[in-house]
Amino acid sequence: MVLKSVQFDDVYFSAEDGLAETHHVFLKGNDLPARWQGAGEGKARFVVAETGFGTGLNFLATWKLFEETAEAGQALDFISFEKFPLSVAEIGEALLPWMDEFEGRVEAMLALYPLRVPGFHRLVLSERVTLTLVFDDVNEAMAQVERKVDCWFLDGFKPASNPGMWSEAVFVQMARLSKKGARFATFTSAGFVKRGLREVGFDVRKVPGFGSKWAMLVGVKE
Ligand SMILES: C[S@@+](CC[C@H](N)C(=O)[O-])C[C@H]1O[C@@H](n2cnc3c(N)ncnc32)[C@H](O)[C@@H]1O
């Protein structure tokens, strides 16, 4: 049984295989690790921003892939917005299937997991990897960020049950914060998400989704 939100009637990750979904939708969808290659071309610090931290599964998979593939001296800044933070116990239980896979990273992340109070919480996980957890509504919190982003993971609950997380305010902030050529990937192929991201300047494409989902969206900020 995977963790499910009663409030939003959606799961935190795929019941088929959460980690495989992360790799397909967010990592492959953002052309990682290829996109962070090239430390000498303005990529000494690679910035990922995510809407919906949840259990941290996407972050952990990104952290591991980065340490396996990035060039020496490159750093990863991962910023994630979360309005309803889970507890350490809830996250620990949800991630049980991947404890071995993440080789101590779950324990390291949970050892530094902050109190569940609103605000920006910075977790320095290694010399190269920093996680900034923003415990607040993404609609308000994004406007306070001043970090230019290389790629976006849009992982709110499904747009039909959580439309507030896929708002014009979020898309406008994404455009403001995106570096030239920034990418995004999301599991959804909802029409209003596609149109909203096009309106703020993303070139949006539909590609095959994970498992039984026939389509998802990826794009580049021109
Ligand atoms: C599908 S889950 C994210 C899964 C997560 N990326 C992971 O790796 O486990 C969606 C998350 O969005 C959060 N959320 C819902 N509405 C939000 C909002 N308005 N602002 C910020 N976070 C929100 C939920 O609490 C939930 O943790």
Side-chain angles (χ1 to χ4, degrees):
M1 268 274 282
V2 296
L3 191 61
K4 184 171 180 182
S5 161
V6 177
Q7 185 182 357
F8 294 110
D9 181 33
D10 199 4
V11 287
Y12 279 75
F13 42 73
S14 162
E16 291 170 59
D17 183 339
L19 183 56
E21 179 186 42
T22 293
H23 275 273
H24 177 86
V25 176
F26 298 105
L27 299 174
K28 190 162 162 262
N30 271 305
D31 196 21
L32 299 174
R35 294 285 301 163
W36 57 51
Q37 306 299 322
E41 300 152 33
K43 293 193 188 157
R45 290 198 89 79
F46 193 85
V47 181
V48 178
E50 173 182 58
T51 56
F53 182 72
T55 66
L57 180 63
N58 289 340
F59 165 65
L60 289 157
T62 308
W63 178 8
K64 183 172 184 217
L65 186 67
F66 187 83
E67 286 188 338
E68 288 170 349
T69 61
E71 293 165 35
Q74 274 186 299
L76 172 69
D77 270 358
F78 195 103
I79 304 167
S80 190
F81 300 90
E82 177 54 62
K83 185 175 180 181
F84 310 104
L86 293 169
S87 68
V88 167
E90 287 166 326
I91 294 177
E93 195 180 333
L95 295 176
L96 272 179
W98 300 291
M99 294 304 274
D100 289 346
E101 163 76 22
F102 289 130
E103 302 163 339
R105 291 180 180 87
V106 176
E107 295 87 332
M109 177 183 85
L110 290 180
L112 295 181
Y113 193 72
L115 285 179
R116 291 184 285 166
V117 292
F120 285 63
H121 306 274
R122 207 164 159 75
L123 285 63
V124 179
L125 290 158
S126 74
E127 272 183 22
R128 314 170 66 188
V129 178
T130 304
L131 168 63
T132 304
L133 280 174
V134 187
F135 287 163
D136 215 335
D137 191 308
V138 65
N139 286 281
E140 276 102 59
M142 247 192 206
Q144 299 172 41
V145 172
E146 288 303 338
R147 199 111 180 80
K148 288 286 181 184
V149 171
D150 291 280
C151 72
W152 297 92
F153 295 5
L154 302 184
D155 198 17
F157 289 126
K158 59 187 176 201
S161 55
N162 190 17
M165 202 163 176
W166 307 85
S167 65
E168 192 189 339
V170 168
F171 300 150
V172 167
Q173 289 301 323
M174 281 177 63
R176 178 181 71 88
L177 292 172
S178 288
K179 287 184 191 169
K180 189 171 170 0
R183 304 224 164 187
F184 83 85
T186 181
F187 64 90
T188 186
S189 59
F192 81 92
V193 173
K194 187 172 67 182
R195 287 188 294 278
L197 287 164
R198 278 196 180 137
E199 268 164 32
V200 298
F202 283 91
D203 181 18
V204 183
R205 279 187 306 127
K206 242 187 208 184
V207 296
F210 174 73
S212 53
K213 290 184 183 151
W214 69 279
M216 57 176 253
L217 302 176
V218 298
V220 182
K221 181 81 170 63
E222 298 302 351

